[in-house]
Amino acid sequence: MTLNILVTGGAGFIGSHTCVALVEAGFTPLVVDNLCNADADALVRAAEVTRSRQPLVFWRGDVRDGALLDRIFATYPVHAVVHFAGLKSVGESVAQPIGYYDCNVQGSLSLVSAMQRAGVHRLIFSSSATVYGQPERSPVCETAALQPCSPYGQSKLFVERLLTDLAHADARWRIASLRYFNPAGAHPSGLLGERTSGTPNNLVPVLCKVASSASEKLTVHGGDYPTPDGTCVRDYVHVMDVAEGHIAALRHLEAGAGASTFNLGVGRGTSVLELVRAFASACGMEVRHAIGPRRAGDAAAYWADVERMRTATGWIARRTIADICGDAWRWQQSQQPALAAAA
Ligand code: NAD
Ligand code: UFG
């Protein structure tokens, strides 16, 4: 008998990779996703990656639908929940705060209410380094000031606080909020990766787009930051390392009750220009780029202090920037026939 793990948002970028890691670790993922930013085909490919004979169990639905969650918990014994479902664009959240609070905060409230009704008290929550806002120093510890600069960041912090209150109120809860830094890359098989609808904003998807088009050029947002090469520095962490971090966190929940927060990063910063060079080397061609103006709201540099996660769970990121670039490029290339057909 394997343990069932309910994965909300399991068809998305990090969720689909985590389903693979869960199967590989001997768990059974059960996915609920409303497919607002995903394709159910990702779950078919996730099953293919793991060579499962069975398709992944999937409900198309919204975490704000409490009756649906009640049906899921009534149908399957669920050991723990990994909660990815949410909206994640900082810019969009500034323009549409109600939608972001509704999906991210109300969605989480609906989920923990249904868990409480069902007597399921183990939860891993997808938080974000965005809760730190513009950190004053790096590496950033979990105890750093929490000053999110967008409704998206606020929504993550609200949920973290809700979960802390829940664990204080009821000693049965075991909760880990994972603050991801910059998840990037793809599964090395080329079968799973980040789906970008419309124009990508994040650096690695933009690099993939630029490298696969003769006409495009990367605009580096600012070359005059107080960093070694003048471009912003971030902590890019491979999505399979992030996925495996959830397995480590799930195991850690067995250690005891309460709510904890953990940074999930590599613990090292990489500049935009360093990433451009690594990407060019992975795809074997020059990546056309030019320095442009700064992007509003960008912090110059930050990376994670990963000591708390390492000490508590033993997890560390194992993959390199070269792995991130090589795997993202393989995924991009596997998308080309589909993109050409859609054009
Ligand atoms: P994603 O958009 O690929 O995945 C989110 C999934 O949730 C999608 O499949 C979407 O269809 C689904 N979803 C959204 N709202 C839903 C709802 N109300 N009910 C059911 N399903 C819903 O995003 P991702 O990159 O995989 O991120 C997963 C989580 O991690 C998100 O909560 C995000 O905020 C957080 N996070 C992501 C990053 C990042 O850079 N990717 C960084 C920090 C935190
Ligand atoms: N960048 C460019 N050109 C581009 C795209 C990005 O120069 O075309 C630069 C950005 O200015 C930034 C760096 O690449 O310096 C990384 O930018 P991303 O947009 O990839 O990532 P961010 O660090 O801005 O934000 C990411 C997630 C957020 C999350 C945050 C948490 O997108 O959701 O990490 O640390 F909140």
Side-chain angles (χ1 to χ4, degrees):
M1 267 293 277
T2 65
L3 295 172
N4 293 324
I5 309 295
L6 181 63
V7 185
T8 76
F13 173 42
I14 306 173
S16 58
H17 289 79
T18 301
C19 286
V20 168
L22 283 166
V23 172
E24 286 172 349
F27 295 101
T28 301
L30 314 171
V31 173
V32 58
D33 196 304
N34 67 4
L35 301 183
C36 71
N37 193 35
D39 188 335
D41 199 41
L43 297 173
V44 176
R45 285 181 272 110
E48 198 180 327
V49 168
T50 60
R51 298 195 172 87
S52 296
R53 278 193 293 273
Q54 305 286 336
L56 293 178
V57 173
F58 172 55
W59 285 270
R60 182 173 186 169
D62 200 293
V63 289
R64 288 164 289 188
D65 181 348
L68 169 68
L69 296 178
D70 288 344
R71 280 202 303 281
I72 295 173
F73 286 119
T75 308
Y76 287 89
V78 172
H79 179 71
V81 178
V82 185
H83 180 35
F84 295 106
L87 302 175
K88 64 169 179 177
S89 161
V90 171
E92 199 176 63
S93 79
V94 175
Q96 300 165 24
I98 295 175
Y100 267 68
Y101 286 116
D102 186 36
C103 186
N104 293 1
V105 179
Q106 182 55 35
S108 301
L109 202 50
S110 160
L111 176 67
V112 292
S113 305
M115 289 175 68
Q116 185 87 289
R117 289 193 292 276
V120 176
H121 295 101
R122 289 177 173 81
L123 175 66
I124 312 282
F125 170 60
S126 291
S127 188
S128 167
T130 199
V131 296
Y132 298 116
Q134 304 228 358
E136 277 168 20
R137 62 184 67 86
S138 284
V140 186
C141 291
E142 287 85 352
T143 50
L146 301 173
Q147 298 165 329
C149 305
S150 67
Y152 168 65
Q154 291 287 6
S155 74
K156 291 292 175 187
L157 188 53
F158 282 175
V159 176
E160 281 195 13
R161 291 188 167 146
L162 158 70
L163 299 179
T164 304
D165 290 344
L166 201 52
H168 279 148
D170 183 339
R172 288 174 298 176
W173 282 93
R174 295 162 183 238
I175 301 170
S177 291
L178 305 183
R179 294 174 179 162
Y180 315 145
F181 276 63
N182 288 59
H187 192 272
S189 62
L191 287 170
L192 291 176
E194 187 165 9
R195 171 187 187 266
T196 44
S197 49
T199 312
N201 288 313
N202 294 124
L203 184 54
V204 171
V206 174
L207 284 167
C208 286
K209 189 161 181 252
V210 168
S212 56
S213 143
S215 57
E216 305 245 6
K217 184 155 79 172
L218 168 77
T219 300
V220 176
H221 298 319
D224 58 350
Y225 283 98
T227 59
D229 64 15
T231 65
C232 290
V233 170
R234 294 287 184 276
D235 186 334
Y236 299 94
V237 52
H238 195 290
V239 64
M240 281 311 297
D241 279 325
V242 174
E244 289 165 9
H246 292 75
I247 310 301
L250 268 177
R251 297 208 161 110
H252 171 70
L253 293 189
E254 302 310 321
S260 322
T261 51
F262 296 101
N263 287 338
L264 230 67
V266 171
R268 197 174 67 81
T270 301
S271 76
V272 176
L273 288 180
E274 283 173 325
L275 199 66
V276 169
R277 281 195 291 276
F279 202 89
S281 155
C283 66
M285 65 177 105
E286 190 202 350
V287 176
R288 284 154 44 87
H289 62 280
I291 306 283
R294 291 183 178 194
R295 185 171 72 177
D298 272 347
Y302 59 91
W303 57 93
D305 183 317
V306 292
E307 205 43 37
R308 184 186 281 184
M309 182 71 182
R310 192 188 67 76
T311 308
T313 73
W315 176 90
I316 51 163
R318 296 187 290 115
R319 295 161 180 90
T320 63
I321 290 290
D323 295 330
I324 288 178
C325 295
D327 292 338
W329 180 237
R330 195 170 304 111
W331 162 248
Q332 174 69 21
Q333 285 177 303
S334 77
Q335 297 299 289
Q336 294 303 328
L339 294 178

